[in-house]
Amino acid sequence: DTAAYVKASAAVRRGSTHDEIVVTLRVAEGFHVNANPASYDYLIATAVSFDGVDPARVRFPDAKLFKPAFARRGLSVYEGVVRIVAEVPKGTLRAKQALRGIVKAQACDDQVCLPPASLPVAARVP
């Protein structure tokens, strides 16, 4: 299961022009998750969503090119520690004490992709 190889957490940062929800994924060594967008339609792209909050913009990190034997052109993936930043308009989170969300991810190694998981995240709103 993907949840055994990918851990997710979140934190809220206040900015001068917007606030940010920073989601951190820790992907186990030897595994990766699909980038956003995913390289092929049948792969599950890494995505984030939040209860009651619609980000104005979500910034994903630059993907790495992974070339397994079954995909000659390669796959766009994230490995190791991955930070995804969701920007929300300043003040959007003001009324919330806590923020809850879901990270959808699919862990893969060089042979197989595991079933995708919906990983819960929560953060206190300062």
Side-chain angles (χ1 to χ4, degrees):
D1 185 318
T2 290
Y5 300 96
V6 180
K7 303 302 178 202
S9 62
V12 174
R13 292 192 303 211
R14 299 238 183 239
S16 59
T17 60
H18 62 271
D19 294 328
E20 296 179 336
I21 305 163
V22 180
V23 175
T24 302
L25 303 180
R26 292 185 184 340
V27 183
E29 190 172 331
F31 286 83
H32 60 267
V33 294
N34 297 304
N36 187 316
S39 300
Y40 296 98
D41 291 342
Y42 60 87
L43 297 173
I44 305 298
T46 300
V48 296
S49 62
F50 307 97
D51 294 344
V53 177
D54 189 22
R57 178 176 158 199
V58 178
R59 295 188 325 259
F60 290 89
D62 292 336
K64 296 178 182 178
L65 184 63
F66 175 67
K67 289 191 171 186
F70 63 86
R72 284 192 211 157
R73 291 186 301 169
L75 305 172
S76 295
V77 303
Y78 306 133
E79 299 174 316
V81 177
V82 179
R83 286 193 176 73
I84 301 164
V85 179
E87 295 179 3
V88 296
K90 186 102 181 125
T92 300
L93 304 175
R94 186 174 297 136
K96 295 186 174 291
Q97 292 181 352
L99 177 75
R100 297 193 188 287
I102 296 290
V103 178
K104 188 159 192 170
Q106 182 179 33
C108 306
D109 63 14
D110 61 351
Q111 300 285 321
V112 66
C113 285
L114 302 173
S118 294
L119 308 168
V121 292
R124 291 183 44 106
V125 176

